[in-house]
Amino acid sequence: MVLDSTNVAYRYPTPSTPSPRKEHNPVKLNGSPRRAPATPISQQHHASNGKAYSRNATLAVQSNGILVPQRIVMTPAVIIPAMPPMVKRDEYQKFPHIDSRISDDEKRAKALSKKRKRERTEGMNVKAVISADSREKSDVALRSLQDLVGNIFEAEDQLQPDTSGAISAATADCFVSGSYGDTESPTLAPIIQVRLEVAIRKVISLNRFDDLPVDHLLRLEKLCEGALKSAENVNLNIEGVSSDDDIEDWIRKLETAEVGLRATQTVLRIMTSGRHEKQLSSEELLQTMLNVVNNVLDSCIVPVVECRSSGSGSDLFKTMLAQKKAIAGLLHQTRKALALLAELLVREEVTEGAITTVEFLTSRLLFVENAHAEKDSVLGIQKFETLRRTAMDVLAMVFSKYPDQRTFIFDEILTSLEKLPVTRQSARQFKLIEGGSIQLVSALIMQLVQTSGISSDEISVRKSKRPVESFQDDPELSGEDASIDQKSKSEQGSDMNDTELRAVQDPGAAMQQLDDLIQPLHDSAHRNAQYVIKFLVQRALTSTKTGDQPYQNLLYIFTEDFITVLGSIDWPAAELLLRVLLGSMLNIAEGERSAAPAKNMALDLMGLMGSGISDLLASARQSSKGLEKVDSELSNYLALLSEGYLEGTLQESELLEWKGPYRVTLELLLQRGLDDPQFHSASGYLISQWAKSTCTYFETLNKDSQDERVMTEYGQVAYRLRRMILDRKWLENQDLYESVSVIQGHLAYAVAVLRMPFCKAFDHILRILLSSMSSDQATVRSRALKSVIQLLDKDPSILERGAYVMNHILKCSSDASSLVRDSAVALMAKCILLKPALEDQIYKAVLSRTADAAVGVRKRSMKLSKDIYLRNTTKDIKAAIADSLLQRITDVEESVSDLAKQMFEEIWIAPYYRLTEDPEKSVQFKLAIREQAGLIIKTVQRGDAVSSVLDILLQKVLSNESKTAAGNFRVCKTMVAAMVDGIVDTEELPDKPPQQCILQALTVFAKASAKLFTVEQLEFLQPYINNLQKTDDLVVYRSVIVIYRCVLPHLSNLRTGFLQNVQSSLFATVSRLGKSELNEVVSCLSTINLVLKNIDRLARLTISCLQGAYKVKDADLSSDVHCPTKSKVIKWMIIAAMFGKYCDFESDQKLFLDQFPWWKGNSVSGLMINIVTPFTSPKQPLEIRRTALDSIGMICQSWPKHFLNEQVNSAFDIVFTERNPDLQNVVLSGFKDFFGLEEKRSETAEGVLSGEDPDTESGRLAGASKANENDGISTAIAQRFVTSIIEIALATQDNYALIATEILASINRQGLVHPKECGPALVALETSSNTLIAEIAFCEHRNQHQKHETMFEKEYMKAVHQAFIYQRDVVGNSLGATVRPFVSKLRSLFEVIKSSNGKYRKKFLTQLCTKIDFDPAKLDVTVDPPPHLLFAKFVLENMAFFEYGRTDELLHVITTMEKLVAGTGTGVAHSIETVIFGVQLGDTKDGTLQAPTHPPLTEYSVIPERLRQLTASSMILSMLWETRTFLRRQYGLLTTQKQRDTKTNKGAAKDLSKPPVKSQGVTGDKYWDEISRIASSLSSPEAMMNQCKEFNDLLSVDQELKLAAEGDEEAAAPATTPSEDEEAGSLVPLSGGGRGRKRSRNSVGESQGQQKKKKRQPSAGKGKRGSADVDVDGDWE
């Protein structure tokens, strides 16, 4: 080898001749000629060195007819001649970098592994001879095979029986009877077949197979043919194999098949042995072997694999399981036969038919459904996977050898993917070396792509019929062949040295050579990767649930598989496939016209790929840390390399160095060996990647400014890469390299991959995901958020990239879509989990979402708020969270309310259960309770809303319905005690809260449960009501009074003295209190009176006030003279009304009658009403009237019968007639309180009547009696004043309207009036911009609709008109929707309607469309703008932005709109043409219409009123058509009836019942602008004329003319115009149908000077001209 390429003289010592071998008995081969003696080693070989050495002698001996070459023992010697004297050392060129490299190699050679040293030594030595032991083994193997072959041939010759008919024993041992078809043929016995195949394999492995005569080999193939034919035709079908006889017969057939497979292996061994004789490779025989393998697989192996232990085939499964061993043997032989078939296809040229058969056979195996559990597998899962792996390797080999078959192989694989069942798609049973598993098909695709990047020259060298090294190892070669081979090697080595030298001198040329070599390989791999990805993506984008849905699932599975092996050195093609896939997904995500589902898929996959990149980066970090513990030069180098990447300082040139990460990865692959096709393809593709990256980077360099050494190194790298591409084993024989560990190799490859284009696109992926959060489509925004969550899971450092990330997330938290808001909250939760410091920045956004309109968002936000609460220590934040969660206690959604209650129990009460059970109550317990009490106080300070809700919460957790009521009570009682202690010493509580704050918190607990307080605590609070001097004292005073009012009635052991002191203190302050405080004091006095029984004191105070008021009832209090008296009267009436409300003086009427003898009534409350009523007179000052009405309301709450008093009703009537808001508010407040009490009483009465109090029969009867009496009063009030209440509710949006709305809701809940009386008002109030009013109205409307659906149906059109009036006159905005986002104002109404059945919904939509219709002649246009025009616009804008629940309903709306345009529009268009444009139809001629003629517009006079009326009519119809068009575009509906019918036929009818999906990019902006433009058409005569012309064009212009003029791609879809006589769901002609008049298509166009179109031929099959086709959709995208 090396010596042949030099001029250095060498010689071989004279060989010694060993003694002859012992003779064996000769084997006689019938008709087989003896081989001629071997020709000695050619003398020509030594001629080139004949001047230095003598000829080497070669001896050979003949032994027993077998040629035994003489063993040659020789030791090569190299003689270096002296340097000629004329040579001078300084004339030689120096290469310092080469000297440096050699020096480095010498240093590193010490670190080589033993294995690599041995390989290096074997590669460098010239193998002139083989060892004596190896030679002897090969001789023995050859003789053994020849003996066996001789015996077989001899037995075959003796197959003819003698006269006795007997066959010799030797023959019987070698052959068995066999038949195929009608032919009897001897077949080799199974044992002989096995021995023959083993012997042939052994001789081939020892390179001695050429010593066998070709005739013998042909005869062996002929002998195997019988077994092949038998196996080809044997029936192995497992169906029907049940009885013992069937099983026994089937087992015999298995044996026949196994013998056939053995024969197949034998023949394939012969064919793949490297012999040059073409007759050994029979096409017919090859086809037979393929048939054998195919028969075994189809009829036996595959059916057995598909058997399952359950189901109809369970019995067959048991039968096959009993024969597992025999079937497993057959599978093993099949796998071996497949492997040999692959080798044959690679080594030999075979017919295309054979190739195709192998492709179909192997590809079919890939998609057989294996069992998912061992119990369901006859053979075992991994045994069949081994066969499948072999099939994959076979297919990969065919792919490598035959480039013209590559597209076909890809097509066969990809189109077969749909055969995979759903369970198989997720069954990843291909085991990876590093652990884990992927799909076998994923592995195959990657291997095929890798193979595409390998040089075909290298493949041919690797898979040549005989390896190059074998020529010099085989002494049997002729001298001529050996010399030729050695000469070629010598020339090759000489060229190599020259090329490396030239590469160093001219790096640019070397790099160009490398680029010319690598570019086709790179393009091939990239093209195949694109082909695969494009196929999968296109199928995924067009997949449906009824068709190709598996392709979308498969795309995800393939992506996950590629990501799994992204950092694996065995699968470098994964990066390319992911890169191509990412490019496709980026195009979809950034495409303006990409559909929302496609964008969602793209964003999802991008999130998946981004997570994979983060995983690889994390793996590289971990590996780098692991290498820090390994002290070696390579480990230190890789650690520095990875550190440079992580810090961003790694240069591209460092990756491409000869001893860089690519080389380290290749060394690890070389250590694994290149015999495995997978490793071979991986190493080849990796070299191609290295070469392509080097060429690409070299092109970017400024060659002139680079150091000469750098350029020289690039030249060397280019040369060596080119050599490796052409011959993979070239690297094994080059400079020595340190042994590479697995962790070193993986880290090196990870660094290389992280610098490849796919991983470098991580920032781009993140930018796309963040920008997609602002997409027009809610689903896209939501998907982007979820993908970001995926990235954060893997790489939390994303949050540190800047505030823009969090800004995007926070912006999405207030998105119009609940889906997006939900995803945003989930993402915020992830951000806080990964980076707790973000809590302070995020918590406010989270709290705002606890009141979200969507239930799911509220719940998620509440859970996140709770997590923040538990982690945070800042009291202000915890109080804000508690406040936010408290508001959800009263949530209309029961599940949300329950969740809030549960959360408060968990964070406020449950943590203290154990502590309250401890009787000793340690210091830790006291501190914890005080801390929690302080937090509650801080929360109550946030406002009255908190107090009211906290009261409800405490009532729930302390009620008997709570499972933890006992524990909750103990904790709350302990907290109350802590707060009371804090009143005395504020140091006891955290943050030292003031006394009034503590007392406010205590009032909440008092309202919730009086049992939380003790008598001692109440007595302790008594001093705080004695001295009322300033405002702060009033707050404290009021709080203590509230506590007393709530607690005193429930404590039985109160001391009389204490109560008397409290009563005296309260009496002393009555005259100084305001109404709210007075209400609490009087209530408390009433409670104390129940114990002290001194009602005389209360009565005297009340009588005093009544007397004062009575004395001035006739006085004119409006004059200045009575100004002091006026304030006294107000105070008197309030005090008297309060006592009348809380105290029952009816049993003490005598006290009052003595003071008011003129009173002839029978009740004290009636006396009060009689005295107060005169002050409601309009003559009295407003303050007096307000107080009088308020007093009447308070008295009537306790004594409702007075609501029926005629004086009272008259006073109320006067108030409603005067329409004074203040007085109306007072009356309404009284009604509200009364109706509220009645609702509570009704609920209590229902509880009594339902049996909650079974022990009190009289109580039930009394309750029922009182209920009937009060129900009559409530009904009377409601029926008399409901109209006034509705008017007040619809008059404003302020607090007055809110109270009126609450009264209406209460009236409807109690069923006091007919539902339809309030129905329209509730619908109108739903559209209020006051959210409280809208929410109350919606809830009650929904409840009433559920109870009285049929009754409400007839009122809804009236309700829509009422909503329009409300919006126009009260809200001051007659638009039908809110803008940006566009939301229908009638959305609440439509949500209620959607709860009904489909027929109900369609009827409503039909009526709504019909409400737009009008009579053009009666259209009122005297008002500007016309009322019906505004109403139609309001309705249409609502319908444009309704959230339709079903596709068929949407189609119904569109069809109804089209019919309206067709019906009314025809007449309007005719009037426009005749009245405005003066168009007249010409006479008919030959049955055709002539062009209409009319004078120019400027010469034709139009009555302004008529012009305005026609313009308004056309505006309504134009807006109707624009709405129809917008709906069709927004939901991507088909245009024509024919298209719809086609779609209906193709798709299932159930698709119409699904919600319509909005198209990507279609927003309401352009629709809104177009509607606004049309609505402004009455602004001037010119605008009116233009509007009429546009409407006329809408109905007249031909579709073809429009397409020619506009070239609108969207309009290219044929859109027919509406017709009245079309079926529902069809588009109908605008010109009308049935009896509609014939109109010229182009009348208006011609009037404007347009060129007349040619007459159009009638449509086929129709007797009259078809209607004009138009598309006036415009571009809404």
Side-chain angles (χ1 to χ4, degrees), residues 639-650:
L640 290 174
L641 200 69
S642 60
E643 182 180 353
Y645 172 79
L646 296 175
E647 295 177 355
T649 60
L650 182 64

Side-chain angles (χ1 to χ4, degrees), residues 52 137 165 188 260 498 526 555 822 905 917 1239 1500 1625 1642 1668:
K137 290 179 181 179
L188 287 175
D498 292 343
H526 196 270
L555 181 58
D822 186 67
E905 286 193 56
E917 294 173 355
E1239 282 194 82
Y1500 196 85
N1642 212 24

Side-chain angles (χ1 to χ4, degrees), residues 123-175:
M124 294 295 293
N125 291 338
V126 180
K127 298 179 182 179
V129 294
I130 58 178
S131 66
D133 291 340
S134 298
R135 188 67 184 184
E136 184 176 355
K137 290 179 181 179
S138 65
D139 292 343
V140 171
L142 180 61
R143 281 195 297 271
S144 176
L145 174 60
Q146 289 178 332
D147 290 343
L148 178 60
V149 170
N151 292 336
I152 292 172
F153 289 168
E154 185 176 356
E156 182 189 20
D157 293 340
Q158 297 176 3
L159 277 176
Q160 296 298 330
D162 55 18
T163 55
S164 64
I167 298 178
S168 65
T171 302
D173 291 340
C174 289
F175 290 93

Side-chain angles (χ1 to χ4, degrees), residues 1113-1129:
K1113 68 175 183 176
D1114 296 326
D1116 184 7
L1117 299 178
S1118 61
S1119 64
D1120 296 337
V1121 177
H1122 295 88
C1123 186
T1125 307
K1126 183 169 61 175
S1127 59
K1128 292 181 180 180
V1129 171

Side-chain angles (χ1 to χ4, degrees), residues 1452 1455 1459 1537 1622-1626:
H1452 177 73
T1455 302
K1459 289 184 177 181
Q1537 175 65 23
E1622 289 280 0
E1623 297 178 355
S1626 65

Side-chain angles (χ1 to χ4, degrees), residues 1579-1612:
S1579 59
S1580 66
E1582 292 77 10
M1584 289 189 284
M1585 295 294 289
N1586 289 333
Q1587 169 59 31
C1588 291
K1589 178 182 179 300
E1590 290 178 4
F1591 181 72
N1592 192 70
D1593 290 344
L1594 173 66
L1595 271 69
S1596 302
V1597 175
D1598 189 273
Q1599 169 72 1
E1600 295 177 357
L1601 179 61
K1602 181 175 178 64
L1603 289 178
E1606 297 183 359
D1608 187 356
E1609 181 180 353
E1610 283 286 352

Side-chain angles (χ1 to χ4, degrees), residues 340 377 531 1013 1331:
L340 287 170
S377 177
Y531 186 79
F1013 291 79
T1331 55

Side-chain angles (χ1 to χ4, degrees), residues 875-896:
K875 288 186 174 58
D876 289 336
I877 294 179
K878 299 184 83 168
I881 295 173
D883 182 6
S884 178
L885 294 179
L886 274 171
Q887 303 309 317
R888 304 276 60 80
I889 296 294
T890 57
D891 198 287
V892 293
E893 178 64 33
E894 185 178 356
S895 61
V896 176

